[in-house]
Amino acid sequence: MLRKQKNENMNKIIEVENISKSFDGEVVLDNISLDIYDNAFVAFGREE
């Protein structure tokens, strides 16, 4: 996992907290929190 230091000039545009999700009884997200800042590139994927 990569993390950047928060810059005080960055504007948070999305904040989600404590998200959990399951499909067909399999947990795919377990208590996930995420902040997305202006001008950030975000990608989601999965390993197979």
Side-chain angles (χ1 to χ4, degrees), residues 29-42:
L29 296 176
D30 187 17
N31 198 30
I32 300 296
S33 296
L34 174 69
D35 294 335
I36 300 176
Y37 291 85
D38 194 23
N39 294 319
F41 176 82
V42 180

Side-chain angles (χ1 to χ4, degrees), residues 3-30:
R3 287 185 178 231
K4 281 181 125 180
Q5 292 290 337
K6 183 181 176 197
N7 181 333
E8 295 301 321
N9 295 328
M10 296 173 69
N11 296 321
K12 187 184 306 183
I13 59 173
I14 297 174
E15 177 179 13
V16 293
E17 294 183 346
N18 308 320
I19 301 297
S20 297
K21 182 66 180 171
S22 61
F23 293 100
D24 297 324
E26 182 176 344
V27 176
V28 294
L29 296 176
D30 187 17

